[in-house]
Amino acid sequence: MDDEQKQQQEDWLNSRKNRLPSFTEVLSRRTRPPVDLFMFYLFLQREGAEDILDFWLDVQQHENLCRAYFKDVRKSGRTIKDDWPQYWDYARRRGSIYGTVVGLQPGAAKRSTASTGDVLDQEKRAGASDEKGSRGRSTSPQPRAPGIEKEPNTSTSPPTAEYDPPRSTTPFSLSGRTPTLFNMRRASRAPTIIPRSAAISRMDLIASAERIFYRYLCPANTVNSPENHEIYLPPALRVHSFTLSSQHEPKNQNELNLLAQIPDMFHAQKEYCFRAMEQDAFPRFLRAKAFGNLTPLSALVRLVAGLIVLWIGLAVGFALIFLNVLPKSKRFFLFIPFMIALLFLVSHQYELDPVLVFLGQSESTPFRTLTIREPYVKKLLLGRAIWVTTLVAICSTVLTLIFWAVPGHRL
């Protein structure tokens, strides 16, 4: 069986050499820079939408906490049916993503449309050998982002409650999306850390769900807290209230029934956020990081610098012509400013700096780089860097020859 798993792992690694990673692979920390979870977080941060990823990660941690609770119950020799009859009845009637953990028939368990619970756990085990080379962070404890105050659960705010209906199809297509160039805000709230020094209780599950509700789902106009970062959800998925409290145990039947829903409470919202990121933000992230290596601000700086250097080169070139400076071979030195200017301008156009690519670097934040480790992305960027370098060399040569060929005429 070990040989078979090793063979499957080798086949998977070989397949990765000829394709871009999937969103599930990024979330499960099986990819390497510049297309890892850390870089995806920074990409969302520039768009002011990192709370959507934070919500997904916090719910993933909540589900892992619930899964750990069920495993603790089974290890103690009890059954879920005896320990938590309300949840058992709810799971049998409505289905649950923990069906295999609590002992329900496989057909009774709701299956995630993406990468939840068991799927991510399996992928993390299969990709354990890749973890050392990846700068992304685990989906359970959240990604750490160096240079950002909030580490495991980094966040600020995507589209929030101020965007009321009518809504767009995804949170990322709202008209009020934060501009991408200068929005590098630091996270304002503390990370979600759940201690595991003792067996998990149902009050821990309530506290986890309560934290998620008041951070992401509670309308911003009903709570005045810096930790509130309401995310966009369609009306059918919004949670308008949370009547349980982590300060006291549920007592009446209504509270016990609501407690039974806690493990699966945010699963539908989590899947919606997954699909929103997968269909909207993730393709743009791949275009930005698999086909380019510059941040928008860095590309803008190159545009300004390229225009200035081009103006200097043209001014010197016309001065050599109209002053009839001899010998004409001095005009060949115009190749230097023309090459620098065109390198900056083409780098801005393609959001790709060939010099950085040849050095194996990609920008994470403006003017800060990290090493490109993803094999297929490295191959893509190298091919585009060769094309950009060739284009710059040809255009610089043509422009220099034109200025050399023009007859001099002293004014």
Side-chain angles (χ1 to χ4, degrees):
M1 188 61 181
D2 291 339
D3 293 337
E4 182 179 349
Q5 290 179 346
K6 290 181 180 179
Q7 184 61 41
Q8 290 177 351
Q9 180 72 7
E10 290 179 2
D11 293 341
W12 177 80
L13 290 174
N14 289 333
S15 70
R16 285 280 305 282
K17 295 180 180 179
N18 299 305
R19 64 174 176 85
L20 291 172
S22 66
F23 188 42
T24 300
E25 291 170 338
V26 172
L27 287 181
S28 58
R29 202 175 64 171
R30 299 178 67 184
T31 59
R32 299 175 180 180
V35 288
D36 57 345
L37 188 58
F38 168 74
M39 293 293 285
F40 183 60
Y41 169 78
L42 293 180
F43 177 81
L44 291 181
Q45 188 187 45
R46 287 200 296 270
E47 299 197 345
E50 68 273 33
D51 277 347
I52 299 174
L53 177 59
D54 282 330
F55 172 75
W56 191 96
L57 293 169
D58 271 356
V59 175
Q60 179 66 33
Q61 179 169 285
H62 172 74
E63 293 179 353
N64 288 341
L65 188 71
C66 296
R67 189 171 288 102
Y69 170 81
F70 293 133
K71 290 180 179 179
D72 285 347
V73 171
R74 297 183 67 178
K75 288 179 181 178
S76 67
R78 295 170 293 167
T79 64
I80 304 299
K81 183 177 181 179
D82 296 332
D83 180 80
W84 196 354
Q86 294 89 353
Y87 170 76
W88 178 264
D89 292 338
Y90 173 84
R92 281 196 311 117
R93 287 184 289 104
R94 302 287 298 274
S96 172
I97 61 172
Y98 313 97
T100 56
V101 179
V102 300
L104 292 173
Q105 294 296 326
K110 288 189 298 184
R111 275 303 151 202
S112 165
T113 57
S115 57
T116 57
D118 297 331
V119 176
L120 275 177
D121 289 342
Q122 293 170 5
E123 289 190 340
K124 281 192 285 185
R125 286 196 296 269
S129 61
D130 290 336
E131 289 183 356
K132 187 177 291 184
S134 172
R135 292 191 59 184
R137 294 297 186 260
S138 166
T139 56
S140 295
Q142 282 100 348
R144 293 180 179 266
I148 301 169
E149 291 178 2
K150 177 173 174 288
E151 293 180 352
N153 184 28
T154 41
S155 87
T156 7
S157 92
T160 60
E162 57 191 357
Y163 303 106
D164 246 356
R167 307 264 183 154
S168 299
T169 55
T170 75
F172 303 99
S173 57
L174 297 171
S175 58
R177 189 172 69 192
T178 308
T180 61
L181 286 180
F182 304 103
N183 183 45
M184 290 301 295
R185 300 167 297 165
R186 291 181 179 271
S188 60
R189 59 185 171 82
T192 298
I193 300 176
I194 300 176
R196 189 70 168 88
S197 58
I200 296 171
S201 67
R202 294 180 206 169
M203 297 305 294
D204 293 327
L205 305 187
I206 295 176
S208 175
E210 184 180 45
R211 184 165 42 243
I212 291 173
F213 173 77
Y214 285 108
R215 282 185 173 179
Y216 303 106
L217 305 180
C218 183
N221 56 6
T222 64
V223 57
N224 185 19
S225 170
E227 292 192 358
N228 177 263
H229 301 280
E230 185 192 7
I231 64 170
Y232 165 81
L233 289 173
L237 293 178
R238 295 177 196 172
V239 180
H240 299 285
S241 63
F242 189 83
T243 57
L244 296 178
S245 172
S246 58
Q247 303 302 317
H248 60 80
E249 295 187 7
K251 297 179 180 179
N252 58 52
Q253 190 60 42
N254 288 336
E255 290 183 343
L256 290 174
N257 291 337
L258 182 58
L259 176 60
Q261 302 175 30
I262 288 293
D264 297 278
M265 176 170 284
F266 307 114
H267 184 71
Q269 292 84 351
K270 174 190 171 187
E271 293 304 318
Y272 171 80
C273 290
F274 179 96
R275 290 305 179 196
M277 291 187 289
E278 182 183 45
Q279 296 171 9
D280 193 339
F282 186 63
R284 289 185 284 107
F285 166 70
L286 287 183
R287 284 196 295 271
K289 294 303 176 184
F291 297 94
N293 66 342
L294 298 179
T295 59
L297 179 59
S298 180
L300 180 62
V301 170
R302 280 169 170 77
L303 173 63
V304 175
L307 291 175
I308 293 174
V309 176
L310 181 61
W311 180 83
I312 293 174
L314 292 175
V316 172
F318 282 115
L320 293 176
I321 291 173
F322 292 120
L323 293 178
N324 196 22
V325 176
L326 297 175
K328 288 179 64 176
S329 59
K330 291 182 178 180
R331 300 184 192 178
F332 285 124
F333 287 101
L334 292 173
F335 180 82
I336 296 175
F338 288 158
M339 181 187 65
I340 295 174
L342 289 171
L343 178 61
F344 283 159
L345 294 175
V346 176
S347 294
H348 165 265
Q349 179 65 28
Y350 287 91
E351 291 194 350
L352 183 140
D353 188 327
V355 177
L356 288 179
V357 173
F358 294 141
L359 295 176
Q361 301 294 305
S362 178
E363 285 193 341
S364 54
T365 55
F367 313 111
R368 292 187 178 183
T369 64
L370 47 75
T371 303
I372 303 171
R373 299 183 183 275
E374 189 69 21
Y376 187 64
V377 172
K378 184 182 297 186
K379 183 168 65 174
L380 285 176
L381 290 177
L382 184 59
R384 287 173 61 84
I386 293 173
W387 157 249
V388 167
T389 303
T390 303
L391 181 63
V392 169
I394 292 174
C395 293
S396 302
T397 302
V398 170
L399 198 56
T400 303
L401 290 176
I402 290 174
F403 273 82
W404 172 81
V406 173
H409 180 74
R410 187 176 182 83
L411 295 179

